Amino acid sequence: MGVPDLLRRARSAALGLAVLLTACSEKLTAPGSCPDFCSTSGLSMIDTVLPGAIGQDSSFGRPVGYLSPNQAVALLAVSVPGRESRPILRTIPVPARVAVAADTTTGAVIGVDSLRLTLTITRRDTAAHNLTLSLYALPLTIDSTTAFHDLDGPFAGAAVRTLNVDNLLAKPGLKDPVTRDSAIVDDVNHRITLWIGLDSAQAPFVAADSGKLALGVRVSADSRASVALFSLEAGQTTLQGPLVTWFLKVDSLGLKTVPRTRLAPPSFDSFVFDPPALPIGSSLVVGGVPAARTILRMALPAVIHDSSRVIRATLEFVAAAQLEGTAADSFPVVAAPVIADFGAKSPVYGTHVDTTWIAIAPIDTVRIDVTSVVGFWATDSLAPTTLVLRQLPEGALFPELRWHSSADVTQRPTLHITYAPRYPVKP
């Protein structure tokens, strides 16, 4: 293409632009309008409270709960006014014979030199000082039916070991050469992993019991002692649940005793607590131990449910009880729409969810964000307008939300919503 052709194309383009500008010149300084194609209505945003939108609300989970203490990802060790909770665990058996050579040669376990208990603190109240963990020997019969007062006798006895966590963290290298205790602090995830040493007198190896060991943990501090320990269920994915490491004495072909290490994770762990959880009653409940969930069914006006754009949606509840716990017990509440409404067993979506953090503080009105949930309903008119509220992590926190249900006309929950109605397009 030559220069003259380029000049001709440039002049043609300039001429076309001039025509367009001339055609639109009278509109440039005037307000935009398109009367031939657009509605005369302007965009609007409506902010409203719907007191009657919530009905047929109910809570499920007590007395059993969605997750019981032996299923939770954390073991609660708490000693505060009005609440006592103690983790308990039982380890797997140790084989009567273990390998003593590179081949299949085995030797009989004839005793134990010592052991090490590994515990990971995943949540604690940093305002509590002189945090101390005390270990107690428990009967091997502990299971998911064991209650708090079933263990009054063992916990009334002398502790087999006591560890002051604050003192250990103050030692050089986080190690105590005398007790063989040590720790690792994970500042990113706010966790403390403890290795607690016990000798053969504190935790004897009983061959008649196949080396099984049952221990209980009691916590204390200068004030409001409260910690959460990773459980067996958490350890299945994080490898940070309770663990006993036996340092065994093994007979090597009858010639000499050789040391061998054997890991013994729990076959069972849980926590027992007093007083028992309150029943649900007439209130709506989320969280607590055992865990409870609340299901809310909405009746949205057609103007919202039919292609409106949801800007903000908030559930507002009048609290029926104050939150009890320490600042470290703050927790998120997740609101998720159901795939199908089957009541207590309703499956929920993994998307279109909202999360609201609840702080342990005096409350009057609880506000939970449900913008994503209601926005999803506005785009899918066939989806059931039912949502589930649950606490995270479930079954591992004593604080619970309680508020008045829709049956209480004067204090019923409401939906506060800001939305933009569908913009009408002129046919």
Side-chain angles (χ1 to χ4, degrees):
M1 183 183 295
V3 174
D5 291 331
L6 290 174
L7 292 175
R8 280 196 299 270
R9 287 176 178 267
R11 282 196 295 269
S12 297
L15 180 60
L17 179 61
V19 171
L20 289 174
L21 291 176
T22 302
C24 298
S25 61
E26 62 179 4
K27 304 288 186 179
L28 292 179
T29 58
S33 63
C34 48
D36 293 333
F37 303 102
C38 302
S39 169
T40 56
S41 302
L43 288 172
S44 61
M45 190 165 61
I46 299 174
D47 184 85
T48 185
V49 175
L50 304 174
I54 301 171
Q56 302 181 51
D57 46 3
S58 50
S59 294
F60 301 93
R62 302 287 170 79
V64 177
Y66 282 91
L67 283 178
S68 297
N70 62 300
Q71 301 168 317
V73 297
L75 308 174
L76 301 182
V78 178
S79 182
V80 299
R83 171 68 68 191
E84 187 81 16
S85 178
R86 300 165 184 172
I88 59 176
L89 62 93
R90 183 185 65 247
T91 64
I92 63 173
V94 175
R97 301 180 67 88
V98 298
V100 294
D103 56 17
T104 58
T105 303
T106 63
V109 175
I110 59 175
V112 60
D113 176 70
S114 59
L115 67 83
R116 182 176 65 197
L117 173 64
T118 304
L119 298 173
T120 299
I121 298 175
T122 181
R123 188 176 69 251
R124 68 180 180 127
D125 181 9
T126 55
H129 301 292
N130 279 321
L131 179 66
T132 301
L133 301 181
S134 300
L135 305 179
Y136 293 81
L138 300 183
L140 295 176
T141 54
I142 58 173
D143 59 20
S144 60
T145 65
T146 302
F148 182 86
H149 290 295
D150 294 336
L151 300 175
D152 284 346
F155 276 107
V160 298
R161 259 304 311 269
T162 299
L163 170 65
N164 187 305
V165 177
D166 290 341
N167 287 349
L168 177 61
L169 297 181
K171 291 186 178 296
L174 308 181
K175 295 181 179 180
D176 188 327
V178 176
T179 62
R180 296 177 291 111
D181 300 327
S182 60
I184 290 181
V185 177
D186 182 349
D187 291 323
V188 176
N189 296 301
H190 307 289
R191 298 169 184 166
I192 301 174
T193 299
L194 303 171
W195 286 278
I196 307 171
L198 294 94
D199 58 33
S200 58
Q202 295 166 329
F205 181 88
V206 181
D209 294 329
S210 301
K212 289 183 291 186
L213 184 69
L215 294 172
V217 181
R218 196 171 184 175
V219 68
S220 62
D222 290 345
S223 64
R224 301 191 68 81
S226 178
V227 301
L229 308 173
F230 266 136
S231 71
L232 168 66
E233 284 69 25
Q236 290 174 349
T237 56
T238 64
L239 301 178
Q240 292 181 309
L243 182 67
V244 168
T245 304
W246 287 102
F247 299 101
L248 302 171
K249 296 178 180 179
V250 182
D251 185 2
S252 177
L253 303 178
L255 300 177
K256 62 179 181 178
T257 299
V258 297
R260 286 293 182 269
T261 300
R262 192 76 182 187
L263 302 181
S267 60
F268 165 81
D269 62 10
S270 183
F271 56 94
V272 293
F273 55 93
D274 187 64
L278 293 174
I280 290 176
S282 60
S283 300
L284 298 178
V285 182
V286 169
V289 178
R293 296 179 185 178
T294 286
I295 293 181
L296 302 176
R297 296 173 176 87
M298 305 281 191
L300 298 178
V303 68
I304 297 175
H305 204 196
D306 185 15
S307 303
S308 66
R309 179 179 178 80
V310 177
I311 309 302
R312 182 76 173 175
T314 307
L315 291 172
E316 297 184 351
F317 308 99
V318 177
Q322 291 298 312
L323 291 166
E324 297 292 338
T326 66
D329 293 329
S330 298
F331 58 89
V333 169
V334 175
V338 304
I339 299 173
D341 191 345
F342 297 130
K345 296 185 178 181
S346 299
V348 298
Y349 284 98
T351 55
H352 318 298
V353 300
D354 294 285
T355 302
T356 302
W357 274 89
I358 305 297
I360 307 300
I363 56 172
D364 178 28
T365 300
V366 180
R367 294 178 175 84
I368 297 178
D369 181 32
V370 289
T371 305
S372 296
V373 175
V374 179
F376 166 63
W377 291 338
T379 62
D380 187 348
S381 59
L382 298 180
T385 53
T386 301
L387 64 82
V388 175
L389 298 175
R390 69 185 189 276
Q391 182 188 67
L392 289 182
E394 280 191 297
L397 287 164
F398 283 119
E400 61 183 19
L401 280 178
R402 283 182 175 262
W403 63 87
H404 298 279
S405 71
S406 60
D408 189 331
V409 179
T410 61
Q411 301 185 89
R412 63 184 306 164
T414 61
L415 176 64
H416 186 173
I417 185 168
T418 304
Y419 67 97
R422 182 175 56 178
Y423 188 70
V425 178
K426 195 172 181 179

Coordinates of all heavy atoms in Angstrom, one line a residue, residues 189-244:
N189 N 0.3 -19.5 62.7 CA -1.0 -20.2 63.0 C -1.4 -20.1 64.4 O -2.4 -20.6 64.8 CB -0.9 -21.6 62.5 CG -0.7 -21.8 61.1 OD1 -1.5 -21.3 60.3 ND2 0.4 -22.5 60.7
H190 N -0.6 -19.4 65.2 CA -0.9 -19.2 66.7 C -1.1 -20.5 67.4 O -2.1 -20.7 68.0 CB -2.1 -18.3 66.8 CG -2.0 -17.0 66.1 ND1 -1.1 -16.0 66.4 CD2 -2.6 -16.6 64.9 CE1 -1.3 -15.0 65.6 NE2 -2.2 -15.3 64.7
R191 N -0.1 -21.4 67.2 CA -0.1 -22.7 67.9 C 1.1 -23.0 68.7 O 2.2 -22.4 68.4 CB -0.3 -23.8 66.8 CG -1.6 -23.7 66.0 CD -1.5 -24.7 64.8 NE -2.7 -24.5 64.0 CZ -2.8 -25.1 62.8 NH1 -1.8 -25.7 62.2 NH2 -3.9 -24.9 62.0
I192 N 1.0 -23.8 69.7 CA 2.1 -24.2 70.5 C 2.1 -25.7 70.6 O 1.1 -26.3 71.0 CB 2.1 -23.6 71.9 CG1 2.1 -22.1 71.9 CG2 3.3 -24.1 72.7 CD1 1.8 -21.4 73.2
T193 N 3.2 -26.4 70.1 CA 3.3 -27.8 70.2 C 4.2 -28.2 71.4 O 5.3 -27.6 71.5 CB 3.9 -28.4 68.9 OG1 3.0 -28.1 67.8 CG2 4.0 -29.9 69.1
L194 N 3.7 -29.0 72.3 CA 4.4 -29.3 73.5 C 4.8 -30.8 73.5 O 4.0 -31.7 73.1 CB 3.5 -29.1 74.8 CG 2.9 -27.7 75.0 CD1 1.9 -27.8 76.1 CD2 4.0 -26.7 75.3
W195 N 6.0 -31.1 73.9 CA 6.5 -32.4 74.1 C 6.7 -32.6 75.6 O 7.7 -31.9 76.2 CB 7.8 -32.7 73.4 CG 7.6 -32.9 71.9 CD1 7.2 -34.0 71.2 CD2 7.8 -31.9 70.9 NE1 7.1 -33.8 69.9 CE2 7.5 -32.5 69.6 CE3 8.2 -30.5 70.9 CZ2 7.5 -31.8 68.4 CZ3 8.2 -29.9 69.7 CH2 7.9 -30.5 68.5
I196 N 5.9 -33.4 76.3 CA 6.0 -33.5 77.7 C 6.6 -34.9 78.1 O 6.1 -35.9 77.7 CB 4.5 -33.4 78.3 CG1 3.9 -32.1 77.8 CG2 4.6 -33.5 79.8 CD1 2.4 -32.1 78.2
G197 N 7.7 -34.8 78.8 CA 8.4 -36.1 79.2 C 7.8 -36.7 80.4 O 7.5 -36.1 81.4
L198 N 7.7 -38.0 80.4 CA 7.3 -38.8 81.6 C 8.2 -40.0 81.7 O 8.6 -40.6 80.7 CB 5.8 -39.3 81.4 CG 4.7 -38.3 81.4 CD1 4.4 -37.9 80.0 CD2 3.5 -38.8 82.1
D199 N 8.5 -40.4 82.9 CA 9.4 -41.6 83.1 C 8.5 -42.8 83.3 O 7.3 -42.7 83.4 CB 10.4 -41.4 84.3 CG 9.7 -41.1 85.6 OD1 8.5 -41.6 85.8 OD2 10.2 -40.3 86.4
S200 N 9.1 -44.0 83.5 CA 8.4 -45.2 83.6 C 7.6 -45.3 84.9 O 6.7 -46.1 84.9 CB 9.4 -46.4 83.6 OG 10.4 -46.3 84.6
A201 N 7.9 -44.5 85.9 CA 7.1 -44.5 87.1 C 5.9 -43.7 86.9 O 4.8 -44.1 87.5 CB 8.0 -44.0 88.3
Q202 N 6.0 -42.6 86.2 CA 4.8 -41.8 86.0 C 3.8 -42.4 85.0 O 2.6 -42.2 85.1 CB 5.3 -40.4 85.5 CG 6.1 -39.6 86.5 CD 6.8 -38.5 85.8 OE1 7.2 -38.5 84.7 NE2 7.0 -37.4 86.6
A203 N 4.3 -43.1 84.0 CA 3.5 -43.8 83.0 C 4.0 -45.2 82.8 O 4.7 -45.4 81.8 CB 3.4 -43.0 81.7
P204 N 3.8 -46.1 83.6 CA 4.4 -47.5 83.5 C 3.8 -48.2 82.3 O 2.6 -48.0 81.9 CB 4.0 -48.2 84.8 CG 2.8 -47.5 85.3 CD 2.9 -46.0 84.8
F205 N 4.6 -49.1 81.7 CA 4.2 -49.9 80.6 C 3.6 -51.2 81.2 O 4.3 -52.0 81.9 CB 5.4 -50.3 79.7 CG 5.0 -51.1 78.5 CD1 4.6 -50.6 77.3 CD2 5.1 -52.5 78.6 CE1 4.2 -51.4 76.2 CE2 4.8 -53.3 77.5 CZ 4.3 -52.7 76.3
V206 N 2.3 -51.5 81.0 CA 1.7 -52.6 81.6 C 1.4 -53.6 80.5 O 0.5 -53.4 79.6 CB 0.3 -52.3 82.3 CG1 -0.3 -53.5 82.9 CG2 0.6 -51.2 83.4
A207 N 2.2 -54.7 80.5 CA 2.1 -55.7 79.4 C 0.7 -56.3 79.4 O 0.2 -56.7 78.3 CB 3.1 -56.8 79.6
A208 N 0.0 -56.5 80.6 CA -1.3 -57.1 80.6 C -2.3 -56.2 79.9 O -3.3 -56.8 79.4 CB -1.7 -57.4 82.1
D209 N -2.0 -55.0 79.8 CA -2.9 -54.0 79.1 C -2.5 -53.7 77.7 O -2.9 -52.8 77.0 CB -3.1 -52.7 79.9 CG -3.7 -52.9 81.2 OD1 -4.6 -53.8 81.3 OD2 -3.4 -52.1 82.2
S210 N -1.5 -54.5 77.2 CA -0.9 -54.3 75.9 C -0.3 -52.9 75.7 O -0.3 -52.4 74.6 CB -1.9 -54.6 74.8 OG -2.4 -55.9 74.9
G211 N 0.1 -52.3 76.8 CA 0.8 -51.0 76.7 C -0.2 -49.9 76.5 O 0.2 -48.8 76.2
K212 N -1.5 -50.2 76.5 CA -2.5 -49.1 76.4 C -2.4 -48.1 77.6 O -2.1 -48.5 78.7 CB -3.9 -49.6 76.2 CG -4.2 -50.3 74.9 CD -5.6 -50.8 74.8 CE -5.9 -52.0 75.7 NZ -7.2 -52.5 75.5
L213 N -2.6 -46.8 77.3 CA -2.5 -45.8 78.3 C -3.7 -44.9 78.2 O -4.1 -44.5 77.1 CB -1.2 -45.0 78.1 CG -0.8 -44.0 79.1 CD1 -0.4 -44.6 80.4 CD2 0.4 -43.1 78.6
A214 N -4.3 -44.5 79.3 CA -5.4 -43.5 79.4 C -5.0 -42.3 80.2 O -4.5 -42.5 81.4 CB -6.6 -44.2 79.9
L215 N -5.1 -41.2 79.7 CA -4.7 -39.9 80.4 C -5.8 -38.9 80.3 O -6.6 -38.8 79.4 CB -3.4 -39.4 79.8 CG -2.1 -40.2 79.9 CD1 -1.0 -39.5 79.1 CD2 -1.7 -40.3 81.4
G216 N -5.8 -38.1 81.4 CA -6.7 -36.9 81.4 C -5.9 -35.6 81.6 O -4.8 -35.7 82.2
V217 N -6.4 -34.5 81.1 CA -5.7 -33.2 81.2 C -6.6 -32.3 81.9 O -7.8 -32.1 81.6 CB -5.4 -32.7 79.8 CG1 -4.6 -31.4 79.9 CG2 -4.6 -33.7 79.0
R218 N -6.0 -31.6 82.9 CA -6.7 -30.5 83.6 C -5.9 -29.2 83.5 O -4.6 -29.3 83.5 CB -6.8 -30.9 85.1 CG -7.8 -30.1 85.9 CD -8.0 -30.7 87.2 NE -9.0 -30.1 88.0 CZ -9.4 -30.5 89.2 NH1 -8.9 -31.6 89.7 NH2 -10.4 -29.9 89.9
V219 N -6.5 -28.1 83.3 CA -5.9 -26.8 83.0 C -6.1 -25.9 84.2 O -7.2 -25.9 84.8 CB -6.3 -26.2 81.7 CG1 -7.8 -25.8 81.8 CG2 -5.4 -25.1 81.3
S220 N -5.1 -25.1 84.5 CA -5.3 -24.0 85.5 C -4.5 -22.8 85.1 O -3.6 -22.9 84.3 CB -4.9 -24.5 86.9 OG -3.5 -24.9 86.9
A221 N -4.8 -21.7 85.7 CA -4.0 -20.4 85.4 C -4.4 -19.4 86.5 O -5.2 -19.7 87.4 CB -4.4 -19.9 84.1
D222 N -3.7 -18.3 86.5 CA -4.0 -17.3 87.5 C -5.5 -16.9 87.4 O -6.1 -16.5 88.5 CB -3.1 -16.0 87.3 CG -1.7 -16.4 87.7 OD1 -1.4 -17.4 88.3 OD2 -0.8 -15.6 87.3
S223 N -6.1 -16.9 86.2 CA -7.5 -16.5 86.0 C -7.9 -17.0 84.7 O -7.2 -17.0 83.7 CB -7.7 -15.0 86.1 OG -7.0 -14.3 85.1
R224 N -9.1 -17.5 84.6 CA -9.8 -17.9 83.3 C -8.9 -18.7 82.4 O -8.6 -18.3 81.3 CB -10.3 -16.6 82.6 CG -11.3 -15.8 83.4 CD -12.0 -14.7 82.6 NE -12.9 -15.3 81.7 CZ -14.1 -15.7 81.9 NH1 -14.6 -15.6 83.2 NH2 -14.9 -16.2 81.0
A225 N -8.6 -19.9 82.9 CA -7.8 -20.8 82.1 C -8.7 -21.4 81.0 O -9.7 -22.0 81.3 CB -7.2 -21.9 83.0
S226 N -8.2 -21.3 79.8 CA -9.0 -21.9 78.6 C -8.1 -22.1 77.5 O -7.5 -21.2 76.9 CB -10.1 -20.9 78.2 OG -10.8 -21.4 77.1
V227 N -8.0 -23.4 77.1 CA -7.2 -23.7 75.9 C -7.9 -24.8 75.1 O -8.8 -25.5 75.6 CB -5.8 -24.3 76.2 CG1 -5.0 -23.3 77.0 CG2 -5.9 -25.6 77.0
A228 N -7.6 -24.9 73.8 CA -8.1 -26.0 72.9 C -6.9 -26.7 72.4 O -5.9 -26.1 71.9 CB -8.9 -25.4 71.8
L229 N -7.0 -28.0 72.5 CA -5.9 -28.9 72.0 C -6.4 -29.6 70.7 O -7.5 -30.0 70.7 CB -5.5 -29.9 73.1 CG -5.2 -29.4 74.5 CD1 -5.0 -30.6 75.4 CD2 -3.9 -28.6 74.4
F230 N -5.5 -29.8 69.8 CA -5.8 -30.5 68.6 C -6.2 -32.0 69.0 O -5.6 -32.6 69.8 CB -4.7 -30.6 67.6 CG -4.7 -29.5 66.5 CD1 -3.6 -28.8 66.2 CD2 -5.9 -29.2 65.9 CE1 -3.6 -27.9 65.2 CE2 -6.0 -28.3 64.9 CZ -4.8 -27.6 64.6
S231 N -7.3 -32.5 68.4 CA -7.8 -33.8 68.7 C -7.3 -34.8 67.6 O -6.6 -34.5 66.6 CB -9.3 -33.8 68.7 OG -9.8 -33.7 67.4
L232 N -7.6 -36.1 67.8 CA -7.3 -37.1 66.9 C -7.9 -36.8 65.5 O -7.3 -37.0 64.5 CB -7.9 -38.5 67.4 CG -8.0 -39.6 66.4 CD1 -6.5 -40.1 66.1 CD2 -8.8 -40.8 67.1
E233 N -9.2 -36.2 65.5 CA -9.8 -35.9 64.3 C -9.1 -34.8 63.5 O -9.0 -34.9 62.3 CB -11.3 -35.4 64.5 CG -12.2 -36.6 64.9 CD -11.9 -37.2 66.2 OE1 -11.3 -36.5 67.1 OE2 -12.3 -38.4 66.4
A234 N -8.5 -33.8 64.2 CA -7.7 -32.8 63.5 C -6.4 -33.4 63.1 O -5.8 -33.1 62.0 CB -7.4 -31.6 64.5
G235 N -5.8 -34.3 63.9 CA -4.5 -34.9 63.6 C -4.5 -35.8 62.3 O -3.5 -36.0 61.7
Q236 N -5.7 -36.3 61.9 CA -5.8 -37.1 60.7 C -5.4 -36.3 59.5 O -5.0 -36.9 58.5 CB -7.2 -37.6 60.6 CG -7.6 -38.7 61.6 CD -9.1 -39.1 61.5 OE1 -9.9 -38.4 60.8 NE2 -9.4 -40.1 62.2
T237 N -5.5 -35.0 59.5 CA -5.2 -34.1 58.4 C -4.0 -33.2 58.7 O -3.2 -32.9 57.8 CB -6.4 -33.3 58.0 OG1 -6.8 -32.5 59.1 CG2 -7.5 -34.1 57.5
T238 N -3.8 -32.9 59.9 CA -2.7 -31.9 60.3 C -1.5 -32.6 60.9 O -0.4 -32.0 61.1 CB -3.2 -30.8 61.2 OG1 -3.6 -31.4 62.4 CG2 -4.4 -30.1 60.6
L239 N -1.6 -33.9 61.3 CA -0.6 -34.6 62.0 C -0.2 -33.9 63.3 O 1.0 -34.0 63.8 CB 0.7 -34.8 61.1 CG 0.4 -35.5 59.8 CD1 1.7 -35.6 59.0 CD2 -0.1 -36.9 60.1
Q240 N -1.1 -33.2 63.9 CA -0.8 -32.5 65.2 C -1.8 -32.9 66.3 O -1.9 -32.1 67.3 CB -0.9 -31.0 64.9 CG 0.2 -30.5 64.0 CD 0.1 -29.0 63.7 OE1 -0.9 -28.4 63.4 NE2 1.2 -28.3 64.0
G241 N -2.4 -34.0 66.2 CA -3.2 -34.5 67.3 C -2.4 -35.0 68.4 O -1.2 -35.1 68.3
P242 N -3.0 -35.5 69.5 CA -2.2 -36.1 70.6 C -1.4 -37.3 70.1 O -1.9 -38.1 69.2 CB -3.3 -36.5 71.6 CG -4.5 -35.7 71.3 CD -4.5 -35.5 69.8
L243 N -0.3 -37.5 70.7 CA 0.6 -38.6 70.3 C 1.5 -39.0 71.5 O 2.0 -38.2 72.2 CB 1.4 -38.3 69.1 CG 2.4 -39.4 68.6 CD1 1.5 -40.5 68.0 CD2 3.3 -38.8 67.6
V244 N 1.5 -40.3 71.8 CA 2.4 -40.9 72.8 C 3.6 -41.6 72.1 O 3.4 -42.4 71.2 CB 1.7 -41.8 73.7 CG1 2.7 -42.6 74.6 CG2 0.8 -41.1 74.6

